[in-house]
Structure formats: C-alpha cells, structure tokens
Amino acid sequence: MPTVSSLVQLIEQASAKRILEAAPSEDRGLTEHLPYPFMALVGQVEMRTALLLTMINPAVSGALLIGPRGTGKTTAVRSLGDILPLIPRSRCQYGCLPEDIEAGGIDAVCPDCAKKYGEGQPLTRLERVALVELPLNARLEDVVGGINELAAAHQRTMLQRGIMARADRNLLYVDEVNLLADEIVDSILDAAAQGQYTLRRGPLAASYRARFALVGSMNPEEGRLRPQILDRFGLRLIVRGLTDPAERLEAYRRVRAYLTNPRAMVAAYEEQTLAAHQEIQSARELLPTVKLTAEAETAGLELVRRMKIDSLRAEITLFQAARAYAAADARTEAASTDVRAVAPMALRLRRSPFMEKYFEEQQGEETEIKSVIDAVIPE
C-alpha cells in the first residue's frame, strides 16, 4: 500500500494545481514610462525655448509646433515630464486657495477651508505640473466628461469629469491638433477662453475648472488649422529639420543610445534634468516680481504696429514671454532685448490675408460714408 505522502504526491502530479504552478507566468505587456530626456535634445533652440517659457509662465498661452514629420516635435513635448515645475494645489474639492482669502476675505472660501485657515493648517500641497495628452481618437465625452458608467450600473446618476478638467493648471498636449474633430475643437476653445466649462447631461450640470496651458503640434501638409484654435496658441514655432550634419549625427547617436537602453540614457542626463527642473522652479517663483521697462513696452508696441497685427493677444503674448525670458535669466527687469528674443515666436502667423483683403475692399464704402456724412452734417 502506498504511504499517505506518496498518495498526496500522486494526486498533486495529476492535478491542475501542479500544472498551473509549473506554468510560467504570462507576460502582461506592461512597461515603465521612460520618456526621452529633454536635455538630450539636439538643436531646435527656438522650440525648446518656447516650451520652457510655457512652463515658466502659463500666461503666454501655450505653444504650437508646426513642421514636417520626424523633426522631434512630439518627442520634445513628451520629454517635459521630468522638468515640469511644482505648483501649490488646493486640498479642497472646491479649489479654495490662500490667495482667495487675501483677495476676497475669509468668505471667499468654503467653511472647512476657513476653519483650517484660522487654525493655521495648510490649504494647499505641492504637486508637479502634469503633461495631460489628448489622444487624436478621443471622443467628445472623453474630453469634456459624461455620465459615470459605474454609477449608472448601480442605478445612480453621476457626472464624471473629462480630460480638460483633469488638465486644470497642467499642460494639455494635442498631437496632430489640425486633425481634431470640430466638436472637440469647439469645446477646447470655450474652455481655453474662460478657464472653465460647464458639462450638461440631461437634468445634471456641473462646472469644471480648466485653466490649462495648451501645447499642440501639427504637420501642415496633413491639413490646415482652424483660425479660431490657432488664435489660442500664444507662441508659434516653425520646426525645420536639423541642417548641420554634425548635429544630425549626434541626434542619431543619442536616439540609438536611448533605443538600446532607455534607463541608462535617462540616468546619463539625470543631473542635467534635475538642474533644469530647479532653474524652471526658481524662474517661476521669480516671475511675479519681473516688470517690463518702458523701452521694452515701447519697442513691443512698435513691433506690433509695424507688423499691422489687429489682435491684442500679440502684445499680451509678447510681453508675457519677455517677462518669462528675463525670469529664466534670474532678472527682475525685462528689457527690449528680451522682447527681441521672443518676438518671432510671439508675432508669427498672426496676420490674416483674408482680413487684409476684406479691409481693403471695405475701404471704398468707408470713404463714401465719410464723404456723405461731411456733406450732410459738416463738422
């Protein structure tokens, strides 16, 4: 008769348990996110400068990268994750901040935050700015939000916020922005203009904060960008391929090193990445004290006048970018040289040939109206 131990062994040999334990675990296809280091980018000084200015001063209203395929636009944006600055985020679901109390008194925040403020408890915590990417295949409900399906399965109705709400005080990146559906473009336009948007689904409605800096990239040969969405990008960059053979060779070598061992490539630039993060953080903290000189303001206004640009956003972007440029250099005064440095990316693609032609055609009627008025009602 077999012993008990041998019986157990016999059963285990014939059981599924032994087969499952012996079977190798299945590769689930998961991976670690290791983006290409921003400090490893070669050339493209204007593009990198625009992205840095956007991180330092969100008031420049983001950046648009325009160029052919393979010029590093998407790689540059996705490499920003490790150098993005830290910002104070509210601990409250209503978004209460200490500056709300400073501007509007204790009644400007919710009762819980008013109590915490009185007790000396912090209302915010430091968190890194996030890079939130809007996929090209995103649906409108993904972007603005919709009904929470999990709650609906339990016969409850709840709204769920979308990508734009999660991008509040973050960078919202849209690759191939010229290929977005019109309804999604319209929703981004509305949120970017107001810093918030309202989601309505049947009897339910909720307003979400959406104070994001918009970063986009596009290839113009795949289609034009609607003027309305183009106007929401403060800085505009024409990204060409590298022309220096030495730079192209260096770019190839770095890409090859990254593809061979991404972790080693990230580690090789870890010190430079940390230094860049700290410099961006310092520049962001210095920014509120940076002021434009009178000469810088005069020079900027003259540039806009000579370029015959109608939109007031030209001056806003130009001056905000100049202040960020000075802050990046640890200066509290933005001079005309700073305006000169950022002017191409701030003034590019702001004139409209259609509007210029329209105004020229309208000039005849304007002249006739003035002559009739002068004849009937002399000055």
Side-chain angles (χ1 to χ4, degrees):
M1 295 291 293
T3 63
V4 174
S5 60
S6 63
L7 281 175
V8 172
Q9 292 174 359
L10 181 64
I11 293 173
E12 287 185 347
Q13 288 176 1
S15 69
K17 176 183 177 182
R18 182 176 179 83
I19 296 173
L20 290 174
E21 288 179 347
S25 59
E26 181 184 357
D27 182 1
R28 298 179 182 274
L30 301 176
T31 185
E32 185 178 1
H33 182 57
L34 295 170
Y36 189 85
F38 183 83
M39 303 307 294
L41 295 172
V42 178
Q44 306 294 4
V45 175
E46 189 182 55
M47 176 178 67
R48 288 187 291 158
T49 300
L51 293 174
L52 291 174
L53 295 179
T54 299
M55 288 186 287
I56 294 171
N57 187 2
V60 302
S61 299
L64 175 64
L65 315 180
I66 306 173
R69 295 180 294 273
T71 51
K73 303 184 300 297
T74 304
T75 299
V77 177
R78 289 175 176 169
S79 68
L80 295 175
D82 290 334
I83 62 174
L84 288 169
L86 300 173
I87 61 171
R89 294 191 188 274
S90 175
R91 297 172 178 266
C92 173
Q93 62 177 333
Y94 302 109
C96 299
L97 295 169
E99 49 260 40
D100 296 334
I101 298 176
E102 295 170 5
I106 199 68
D107 293 334
V109 297
C110 70
D112 288 342
C113 289
K115 179 181 178 183
K116 291 179 181 177
Y117 186 82
E119 296 173 350
Q121 298 183 35
L123 302 186
T124 61
R125 60 178 178 272
L126 285 178
E127 286 187 6
R128 188 185 292 269
V129 171
L131 179 66
V132 180
E133 188 165 349
L134 194 156
L136 188 59
N137 62 348
R139 304 169 302 165
L140 181 61
E141 286 201 353
D142 298 328
V143 177
V144 300
I147 300 296
N148 187 311
E149 296 180 359
L150 183 61
H154 292 81
Q155 296 182 349
R156 297 175 58 194
T157 305
M158 293 177 57
L159 291 179
Q160 178 173 285
R161 63 178 184 165
I163 293 174
M164 287 197 303
R166 292 197 297 273
D168 182 52
R169 302 195 71 191
N170 292 317
L171 291 183
L172 178 62
Y173 174 50
V174 186
D175 193 12
E176 306 292 354
V177 63
N178 53 323
L179 302 182
L180 279 181
D182 287 345
E183 59 182 6
I184 293 179
V185 170
D186 293 339
S187 64
I188 293 176
L189 286 172
D190 183 55
Q194 302 184 47
Q196 63 179 25
Y197 69 95
T198 300
L199 171 65
R200 290 185 175 86
R201 291 294 182 268
L204 300 180
S207 294
Y208 295 103
R209 296 181 298 273
R211 302 158 294 180
F212 49 78
L214 188 62
V215 177
S217 58
M218 60 172 282
N219 179 0
E221 67 182 352
E222 296 174 349
R224 296 182 63 85
L225 187 64
R226 286 173 53 186
Q228 298 94 325
I229 189 69
L230 174 62
D231 192 47
R232 291 297 167 186
F233 290 102
L235 305 176
R236 295 95 183 274
L237 295 306
I238 303 298
V239 184
R240 302 291 301 272
L242 299 175
T243 56
D244 186 350
E247 287 188 340
R248 296 184 73 97
L249 181 59
E250 180 62 21
Y252 158 72
R253 288 171 176 168
R254 295 185 185 186
V255 170
R256 185 185 66 181
Y258 174 74
L259 294 176
T260 302
N261 192 335
R263 190 180 300 280
M265 185 66 170
V266 171
Y269 285 88
E270 184 175 5
E271 186 174 344
Q272 297 180 41
T273 298
L274 178 60
H277 166 72
Q278 293 173 344
E279 290 181 6
I280 292 170
Q281 189 70 42
S282 299
R284 190 167 178 132
E285 293 170 358
L286 180 65
L287 182 66
T289 65
V290 177
K291 300 185 183 301
L292 289 160
T293 64
E295 293 79 8
E297 293 174 341
T298 302
L301 293 171
E302 182 64 12
L303 285 174
V304 174
R305 186 188 70 82
R306 293 196 183 191
M307 288 292 294
K308 299 179 180 179
I309 298 174
D310 294 307
S311 175
L312 288 173
R313 292 194 180 96
E315 288 94 336
I316 295 173
T317 300
L318 180 62
F319 292 150
Q320 293 285 17
R323 291 178 60 243
Y325 196 87
D329 198 29
R331 290 182 282 112
T332 57
E333 194 172 77
S336 55
T337 53
D338 298 306
V339 173
R340 175 187 174 90
V342 302
M345 61 184 86
L347 303 181
R348 187 180 288 127
L349 298 175
R350 290 201 178 272
R351 294 184 299 187
S352 169
F354 174 86
M355 294 306 301
E356 290 178 3
K357 183 179 179 181
Y358 177 84
F359 287 140
E360 288 177 2
E361 294 174 349
Q362 186 66 22
Q363 188 59 43
E365 184 181 13
E366 295 296 322
T367 302
E368 182 181 356
I369 291 173
K370 186 178 185 306
S371 64
V372 172
I373 292 174
D374 290 342
V376 176
I377 313 172
E379 291 186 1

